[in-house]
Protein backbone atom coordinates (compact mmCIF):
# COMPACT_ATOMS: atom_id res chain seq x y z
CA UNK A 1 0.00 0.00 0.00
CA UNK A 2 1.11 3.58 -0.59
CA UNK A 3 0.09 6.84 1.02
CA UNK A 4 -1.56 9.30 -1.32
CA UNK A 5 0.11 12.69 -0.79
CA UNK A 6 -0.97 15.96 -2.33
CA UNK A 7 -0.42 17.24 -5.84
CA UNK A 8 1.10 20.67 -6.51
CA UNK A 9 -1.27 23.60 -7.10
CA UNK A 10 1.15 25.43 -9.44
CA UNK A 11 0.37 23.84 -12.81
CA UNK A 12 3.50 24.97 -14.74
CA UNK A 13 5.71 24.00 -11.79
CA UNK A 14 3.96 20.65 -11.51
CA UNK A 15 4.59 19.90 -15.18
CA UNK A 16 8.19 21.12 -15.00
CA UNK A 17 8.85 18.94 -11.94
CA UNK A 18 7.41 15.90 -13.72
CA UNK A 19 9.74 16.47 -16.67
CA UNK A 20 12.76 17.04 -14.44
CA UNK A 21 12.07 13.80 -12.58
CA UNK A 22 11.07 11.91 -15.74
CA UNK A 23 7.83 10.98 -14.00
CA UNK A 24 6.43 8.22 -16.21
CA UNK A 25 3.05 8.21 -14.44
CA UNK A 26 2.65 11.87 -15.44
CA UNK A 27 4.41 11.92 -18.81
CA UNK A 28 3.65 8.47 -20.23
CA UNK A 29 0.35 7.07 -18.95
CA UNK A 30 0.75 4.01 -21.17
CA UNK A 31 3.65 2.91 -18.98
CA UNK A 32 1.27 2.29 -16.05
CA UNK A 33 -2.15 2.01 -17.67
CA UNK A 34 -3.71 -1.45 -17.37
CA UNK A 35 -7.09 -1.47 -19.13
CA UNK A 36 -7.97 -5.16 -18.79
CA UNK A 37 -10.43 -4.36 -15.98
CA UNK A 38 -12.65 -2.61 -18.53
CA UNK A 39 -13.50 -5.68 -20.62
CA UNK A 40 -17.20 -6.61 -20.49
CA UNK A 41 -17.98 -3.89 -17.94
CA UNK A 42 -21.18 -1.94 -18.52
CA UNK A 43 -20.16 1.72 -18.46
CA UNK A 44 -22.53 4.67 -18.63
CA UNK A 45 -20.95 7.93 -19.82
CA UNK A 46 -22.83 11.21 -19.76
CA UNK A 47 -21.84 13.84 -22.29
CA UNK A 48 -20.04 11.29 -24.44
CA UNK A 49 -20.52 12.95 -27.81
CA UNK A 50 -17.38 15.12 -27.92
CA UNK A 51 -14.21 16.17 -26.13
CA UNK A 52 -13.03 14.11 -23.18
CA UNK A 53 -16.36 12.28 -23.03
CA UNK A 54 -15.99 11.00 -26.59
CA UNK A 55 -12.35 10.06 -25.92
CA UNK A 56 -13.48 8.04 -22.89
CA UNK A 57 -16.14 6.31 -24.96
CA UNK A 58 -13.68 5.45 -27.73
CA UNK A 59 -11.11 4.07 -25.27
CA UNK A 60 -13.75 2.04 -23.44
CA UNK A 61 -15.11 0.58 -26.66
CA UNK A 62 -11.62 -0.32 -27.88
CA UNK A 63 -10.98 -2.26 -24.67
CA UNK A 64 -14.17 -4.30 -24.78
CA UNK A 65 -16.52 -2.39 -22.50
CA UNK A 66 -20.26 -2.31 -23.08
CA UNK A 67 -20.76 1.42 -23.32
CA UNK A 68 -23.98 3.38 -22.94
CA UNK A 69 -23.80 7.07 -23.82
CA UNK A 70 -26.18 9.89 -22.99
CA UNK A 71 -26.47 12.87 -25.31
CA UNK A 72 -28.78 15.83 -25.69
CA UNK A 73 -29.25 15.32 -29.42
CA UNK A 74 -29.36 12.03 -31.37
CA UNK A 75 -25.87 10.82 -32.24
CA UNK A 76 -24.24 7.95 -34.08
CA UNK A 77 -21.31 6.77 -31.96
CA UNK A 78 -19.60 3.66 -33.34
CA UNK A 79 -19.22 0.58 -31.18
CA UNK A 80 -21.42 1.53 -28.25
CA UNK A 81 -24.14 -0.64 -26.78
CA UNK A 82 -26.68 2.16 -26.81
CA UNK A 83 -27.04 5.92 -27.19
CA UNK A 84 -29.77 7.42 -25.02
CA UNK A 85 -30.52 10.85 -26.49
CA UNK A 86 -32.69 13.62 -25.16
CA UNK A 87 -30.90 13.66 -21.79
CA UNK A 88 -30.54 17.27 -20.71
CA UNK A 89 -28.99 17.17 -17.25
CA UNK A 90 -30.57 20.51 -16.26
CA UNK A 91 -34.03 18.97 -16.65
CA UNK A 92 -35.39 17.62 -13.37
CA UNK A 93 -36.96 14.73 -15.28
CA UNK A 94 -33.72 13.69 -17.03
CA UNK A 95 -33.18 10.91 -14.52
CA UNK A 96 -36.56 9.35 -15.27
CA UNK A 97 -35.85 9.51 -19.00
CA UNK A 98 -32.45 7.91 -18.51
CA UNK A 99 -33.81 5.10 -16.35
CA UNK A 100 -36.47 4.42 -18.97
CA UNK A 101 -33.79 4.25 -21.65
CA UNK A 102 -31.65 1.90 -19.58
CA UNK A 103 -34.56 -0.55 -19.42
CA UNK A 104 -33.30 -2.33 -16.30
CA UNK A 105 -29.65 -2.51 -17.36
CA UNK A 106 -27.30 -2.57 -14.34
CA UNK A 107 -24.31 -0.25 -14.48
CA UNK A 108 -20.81 -1.24 -13.35
CA UNK A 109 -19.24 2.19 -13.83
CA UNK A 110 -21.06 5.52 -14.10
CA UNK A 111 -18.89 8.35 -15.45
CA UNK A 112 -20.54 11.72 -14.91
CA UNK A 113 -18.71 13.71 -17.55
CA UNK A 114 -21.27 16.19 -18.89
CA UNK A 115 -20.11 19.71 -18.14
CA UNK A 116 -20.09 23.31 -19.28
CA UNK A 117 -17.53 26.13 -19.20
CA UNK A 118 -18.63 29.65 -20.15
CA UNK A 119 -16.20 31.06 -22.72
CA UNK A 120 -15.45 34.68 -21.72
CA UNK A 121 -13.27 35.34 -18.67
CA UNK A 122 -15.45 36.61 -15.84
CA UNK A 123 -14.30 39.57 -13.78
CA UNK A 124 -16.28 41.98 -11.64
CA UNK A 125 -16.94 44.19 -14.64
CA UNK A 126 -18.02 41.26 -16.84
CA UNK A 127 -20.06 38.96 -14.60
CA UNK A 128 -22.79 36.87 -16.19
CA UNK A 129 -25.08 35.60 -13.45
CA UNK A 130 -27.26 33.58 -15.81
CA UNK A 131 -24.20 31.74 -17.11
CA UNK A 132 -22.95 31.18 -13.56
CA UNK A 133 -26.22 29.55 -12.57
CA UNK A 134 -26.13 27.49 -15.78
CA UNK A 135 -22.66 26.17 -14.92
CA UNK A 136 -23.71 25.26 -11.39
CA UNK A 137 -26.85 23.57 -12.70
CA UNK A 138 -24.99 21.49 -15.29
CA UNK A 139 -21.81 20.70 -13.35
CA UNK A 140 -23.18 20.14 -9.83
CA UNK A 141 -26.91 19.41 -9.98
CA UNK A 142 -26.66 17.56 -13.29
CA UNK A 143 -24.54 14.64 -12.06
CA UNK A 144 -26.62 14.49 -8.88
CA UNK A 145 -29.82 14.15 -10.91
CA UNK A 146 -28.26 11.36 -12.98
CA UNK A 147 -26.62 9.49 -10.10
CA UNK A 148 -29.66 9.68 -7.85
CA UNK A 149 -32.00 8.38 -10.54
CA UNK A 150 -29.79 5.45 -11.52
CA UNK A 151 -29.22 4.49 -7.88
CA UNK A 152 -32.87 4.78 -6.85
CA UNK A 153 -33.82 2.57 -9.80
CA UNK A 154 -31.60 -0.16 -8.36
CA UNK A 155 -29.20 -0.03 -11.31
CA UNK A 156 -26.02 0.64 -9.27
CA UNK A 157 -25.38 -2.69 -7.48
CA UNK A 158 -22.82 -3.18 -4.69
CA UNK A 159 -19.35 -2.88 -6.19
CA UNK A 160 -20.40 -0.28 -8.76
CA UNK A 161 -18.27 2.84 -9.21
CA UNK A 162 -19.36 6.44 -9.74
CA UNK A 163 -16.67 8.69 -11.23
CA UNK A 164 -17.28 12.42 -11.06
CA UNK A 165 -15.30 14.36 -13.66
CA UNK A 166 -14.87 17.73 -11.97
CA UNK A 167 -11.82 20.00 -11.88
CA UNK A 168 -8.92 21.25 -9.80
CA UNK A 169 -10.76 24.55 -10.26
CA UNK A 170 -13.11 23.36 -7.49
CA UNK A 171 -10.34 23.40 -4.88
CA UNK A 172 -10.75 26.45 -2.66
CA UNK A 173 -7.28 25.81 -1.25
CA UNK A 174 -5.66 26.27 -4.66
CA UNK A 175 -7.38 29.52 -5.67
CA UNK A 176 -4.65 31.77 -4.19
CA UNK A 177 -2.09 30.01 -6.40
CA UNK A 178 -4.09 29.40 -9.56
CA UNK A 179 -6.25 32.54 -9.44
CA UNK A 180 -4.17 35.16 -7.59
CA UNK A 181 -6.27 37.95 -9.12
CA UNK A 182 -9.61 36.13 -8.98
CA UNK A 183 -11.92 35.80 -12.06
CA UNK A 184 -13.90 32.96 -13.67
CA UNK A 185 -16.39 32.99 -10.80
CA UNK A 186 -19.01 30.71 -12.29
CA UNK A 187 -16.56 28.00 -13.33
CA UNK A 188 -14.91 27.71 -9.93
CA UNK A 189 -18.15 27.95 -7.98
CA UNK A 190 -19.71 25.23 -10.12
CA UNK A 191 -16.76 22.87 -9.60
CA UNK A 192 -16.60 23.52 -5.86
CA UNK A 193 -20.32 22.73 -5.67
CA UNK A 194 -19.75 19.57 -7.73
CA UNK A 195 -16.99 18.46 -5.37
CA UNK A 196 -19.16 19.02 -2.30
CA UNK A 197 -22.03 17.12 -3.90
CA UNK A 198 -19.68 14.26 -4.75
CA UNK A 199 -18.32 14.10 -1.21
CA UNK A 200 -21.84 13.88 0.22
CA UNK A 201 -22.84 11.27 -2.35
CA UNK A 202 -19.80 9.19 -1.40
CA UNK A 203 -20.95 9.24 2.21
CA UNK A 204 -24.53 8.27 1.42
CA UNK A 205 -23.61 5.44 -0.96
CA UNK A 206 -21.12 3.83 1.43
CA UNK A 207 -23.78 1.69 3.05
CA UNK A 208 -24.76 0.34 -0.37
CA UNK A 209 -21.21 -0.61 -1.33
CA UNK A 210 -20.97 1.92 -4.16
CA UNK A 211 -17.79 4.00 -4.28
CA UNK A 212 -17.43 7.54 -5.60
CA UNK A 213 -14.32 9.34 -6.83
CA UNK A 214 -13.89 13.05 -7.51
CA UNK A 215 -11.54 13.28 -10.48
CA UNK A 216 -9.68 16.21 -11.99
CA UNK A 217 -9.00 14.78 -15.47
CA UNK A 218 -5.93 16.92 -16.02
CA UNK A 219 -5.44 19.66 -18.58
CA UNK A 220 -6.84 18.34 -21.85
CA UNK A 221 -6.80 19.96 -25.28
CA UNK A 222 -10.53 20.21 -26.00
CA UNK A 223 -12.98 22.81 -27.25
CA UNK A 224 -13.83 23.53 -23.61
CA UNK A 225 -10.25 24.57 -22.77
CA UNK A 226 -9.44 26.21 -26.10
CA UNK A 227 -9.63 29.68 -24.57
CA UNK A 228 -6.42 28.68 -22.73
CA UNK A 229 -4.70 27.43 -25.88
CA UNK A 230 -1.81 29.87 -25.38
CA UNK A 231 -0.72 28.04 -22.20
CA UNK A 232 -1.45 24.46 -23.27
CA UNK A 233 2.22 23.59 -23.79
CA UNK A 234 3.75 25.26 -20.74
CA UNK A 235 1.13 23.69 -18.48
CA UNK A 236 1.34 20.21 -19.95
CA UNK A 237 -2.02 19.95 -21.67
CA UNK A 238 -2.51 16.62 -23.45
CA UNK A 239 -4.68 15.17 -26.16
CA UNK A 240 -8.04 13.99 -24.85
CA UNK A 241 -7.12 10.39 -25.73
CA UNK A 242 -4.33 10.61 -23.14
CA UNK A 243 -6.66 12.29 -20.68
CA UNK A 244 -9.13 9.44 -21.08
CA UNK A 245 -6.50 6.85 -20.15
CA UNK A 246 -5.51 8.92 -17.10
CA UNK A 247 -9.12 8.98 -15.94
CA UNK A 248 -9.63 5.26 -16.49
CA UNK A 249 -6.36 4.50 -14.67
CA UNK A 250 -7.80 6.24 -11.60
CA UNK A 251 -11.19 4.57 -11.98
CA UNK A 252 -9.38 1.22 -11.84
CA UNK A 253 -7.90 2.25 -8.47
CA UNK A 254 -11.27 3.19 -6.95
CA UNK A 255 -12.43 1.24 -3.89
CA UNK A 256 -14.65 1.66 -0.85
CA UNK A 257 -11.54 2.51 1.17
CA UNK A 258 -10.81 5.51 -1.04
CA UNK A 259 -14.36 6.65 -1.71
CA UNK A 260 -14.75 10.41 -1.66
CA UNK A 261 -11.13 11.28 -2.42
CA UNK A 262 -10.38 14.18 -4.78
CA UNK A 263 -7.68 12.94 -7.19
CA UNK A 264 -5.59 14.64 -9.85
CA UNK A 265 -5.53 12.24 -12.80
CA UNK A 266 -2.33 13.81 -14.11
CA UNK A 267 -0.18 12.43 -11.29
CA UNK A 268 -2.57 10.29 -9.21
CA UNK A 269 -2.14 12.53 -6.17
CA UNK A 270 -4.76 14.17 -3.98
CA UNK A 271 -6.15 17.67 -4.32
CA UNK A 272 -7.29 19.42 -1.14
CA UNK A 273 -10.82 20.80 -1.13
CA UNK A 274 -10.11 23.50 1.44
CA UNK A 275 -7.23 24.63 3.66
CA UNK A 276 -3.53 23.92 3.70
CA UNK A 277 -2.38 20.43 2.80
CA UNK A 278 -1.21 19.85 6.39
CA UNK A 279 -4.77 20.22 7.66
CA UNK A 280 -5.79 16.97 6.00
CA UNK A 281 -5.01 13.40 7.01
CA UNK A 282 -3.33 11.18 4.45
CA UNK A 283 -5.30 8.24 3.11
CA UNK A 284 -3.88 5.21 1.42
CA UNK A 285 -4.73 3.50 -1.80
CA UNK A 286 -3.84 0.06 -3.15
CA UNK A 287 -0.75 -0.22 -5.32
CA UNK A 288 -2.35 -3.13 -7.16
CA UNK A 289 -5.58 -5.10 -7.36
CA UNK A 290 -4.02 -7.66 -5.00
CA UNK A 291 -3.73 -5.10 -2.24
CA UNK A 292 -7.24 -3.91 -1.49
CA UNK A 293 -7.06 -4.02 2.30
CA UNK A 294 -6.61 -0.29 2.49
CA UNK A 295 -6.89 1.71 5.70
CA UNK A 296 -6.78 5.40 6.53
CA UNK A 297 -3.90 6.81 8.56
CA UNK A 298 -3.11 10.09 10.13
CA UNK A 299 0.33 11.34 11.05
CA UNK A 300 0.62 13.24 14.29
CA UNK A 301 2.49 16.03 12.54
CA UNK A 302 -0.50 16.51 10.24
CA UNK A 303 -2.83 17.49 13.06
CA UNK A 304 -4.69 20.73 12.31
CA UNK A 305 -4.24 23.78 14.55
CA UNK A 306 -6.49 24.10 17.56
CA UNK A 307 -10.04 25.29 17.06
CA UNK A 308 -13.45 24.04 16.07
CA UNK A 309 -13.40 21.61 13.15
CA UNK A 310 -15.83 19.64 11.07
CA UNK A 311 -15.10 16.25 9.53
CA UNK A 312 -15.97 15.26 5.95
CA UNK A 313 -15.14 11.75 4.63
CA UNK A 314 -11.95 11.56 6.63
CA UNK A 315 -10.77 15.12 6.00
CA UNK A 316 -10.83 17.79 8.70
CA UNK A 317 -12.13 21.24 7.89
CA UNK A 318 -12.27 24.45 9.98
CA UNK A 319 -15.81 25.22 11.05
CA UNK A 320 -17.82 28.04 9.56
CA UNK A 321 -17.40 30.07 12.73
CA UNK A 322 -13.63 29.68 12.76
CA UNK A 323 -13.39 30.64 9.09
CA UNK A 324 -15.50 33.76 9.56
CA UNK A 325 -14.40 34.90 13.01
CA UNK A 326 -10.99 33.34 13.57
CA UNK A 327 -12.07 31.29 16.59
CA UNK A 328 -9.34 29.08 18.00
CA UNK A 329 -6.56 30.96 16.25
Amino acid sequence: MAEVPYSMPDQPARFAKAKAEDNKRFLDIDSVYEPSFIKDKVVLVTGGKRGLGLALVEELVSKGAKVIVTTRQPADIPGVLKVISGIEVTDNTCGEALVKGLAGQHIDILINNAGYFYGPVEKLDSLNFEEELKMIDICALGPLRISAAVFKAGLLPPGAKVAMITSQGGSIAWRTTQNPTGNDYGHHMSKAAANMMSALLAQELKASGVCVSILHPGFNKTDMTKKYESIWEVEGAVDSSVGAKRVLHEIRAMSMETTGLFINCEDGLRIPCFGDEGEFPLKVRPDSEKDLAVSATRKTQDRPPKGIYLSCHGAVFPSFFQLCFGLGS
Side-chain angles (χ1 to χ4, degrees):
M1 292 185 294
E3 289 181 342
V4 185
Y6 288 92
S7 188
M8 294 175 62
D10 187 321
Q11 180 91 28
R14 185 197 309 156
F15 182 45
K17 183 173 184 286
K19 290 190 292 183
E21 296 176 349
D22 193 25
N23 185 330
K24 296 300 184 184
R25 165 66 184 80
F26 195 118
L27 303 174
D28 181 15
I29 189 62
D30 285 319
S31 66
V32 297
Y33 179 52
E34 175 46 67
S36 60
F37 81 99
I38 294 170
K39 185 174 174 57
D40 295 327
K41 291 290 192 297
V42 179
V43 185
L44 173 61
V45 182
T46 67
K49 187 178 178 180
R50 62 179 182 174
L52 179 63
L54 179 58
L56 283 164
V57 169
E58 291 174 341
E59 177 62 19
L60 287 162
V61 168
S62 74
K63 298 302 185 292
K66 300 173 182 177
V67 185
I68 301 171
V69 183
T70 74
T71 62
R72 288 181 295 168
Q73 302 296 328
D76 181 16
I77 304 176
V80 302
L81 181 65
K82 181 185 294 187
V83 175
I84 303 176
S85 60
I87 304 300
E88 174 55 72
V89 298
T90 60
D91 185 340
N92 288 333
T93 65
C94 68
E96 297 172 15
L98 174 58
V99 168
K100 182 178 179 180
L102 289 172
Q105 175 66 63
H106 283 195
I107 304 300
D108 297 309
I109 303 171
L110 166 57
I111 303 178
N112 281 294
N113 169 76
Y116 175 64
F117 194 170
Y118 177 56
V121 174
E122 278 194 290
K123 297 185 178 181
L124 291 179
D125 60 359
S126 59
L127 295 173
N128 189 319
F129 299 122
E130 288 185 359
E131 288 291 330
E132 290 172 7
L133 289 170
K134 181 179 178 180
M135 281 183 273
I136 291 170
D137 199 3
I138 293 173
C139 298
L141 291 174
L144 182 58
R145 291 183 180 104
I146 295 295
S147 302
V150 176
F151 176 74
K152 289 189 296 181
L155 303 182
L156 285 176
K161 299 180 178 183
V162 178
M164 298 291 190
I165 307 300
T166 67
S167 171
Q168 63 183 359
S171 168
I172 297 174
W174 283 8
R175 287 316 94 221
T176 52
T177 298
Q178 297 184 344
N179 292 81
T181 60
N183 71 54
D184 278 342
Y185 291 86
H187 170 65
H188 297 296
M189 289 190 295
S190 72
K191 296 305 183 180
N195 292 345
M196 177 59 80
M197 175 276 296
S198 302
L200 295 172
L201 185 68
Q203 291 297 97
E204 186 160 358
L205 293 185
K206 275 184 179 180
S208 299
V210 177
C211 59
V212 179
S213 275
I214 309 168
L215 301 178
H216 166 57
F219 198 4
N220 295 285
K221 297 177 181 179
T222 65
D223 290 342
M224 191 175 289
T225 66
K226 193 169 180 60
K227 71 176 183 177
Y228 298 120
E229 186 175 7
S230 63
I231 60 173
W232 273 353
E233 301 309 319
V234 71
E235 297 203 357
V238 298
D239 187 83
S240 56
S241 63
V242 175
K245 291 178 181 179
R246 286 173 166 178
V247 168
L248 293 172
H249 180 70
E250 294 306 322
I251 290 177
R252 176 180 177 269
M254 290 172 62
S255 71
M256 290 309 301
E257 287 75 20
T258 63
T259 191
L261 289 186
F262 186 9
I263 298 294
N264 182 356
C265 294
E266 289 179 346
D267 53 21
L269 305 180
R270 292 183 66 186
I271 299 176
C273 290
F274 183 88
D276 295 333
E277 285 83 349
E279 293 179 4
F280 294 79
L282 291 177
K283 286 195 175 183
V284 292
R285 192 169 46 171
D287 288 325
S288 68
E289 291 183 349
K290 295 179 181 179
D291 189 6
L292 295 176
V294 185
S295 61
T297 63
R298 173 179 293 181
K299 295 182 179 180
T300 56
Q301 62 266 34
D302 288 332
R303 288 175 181 167
K306 65 181 180 178
I308 306 168
Y309 284 78
L310 303 177
S311 176
C312 179
H313 62 86
V316 180
F317 299 83
S319 74
F320 171 82
F321 298 101
Q322 184 170 3
L323 294 176
C324 294
F325 305 112
L327 297 178
S329 59

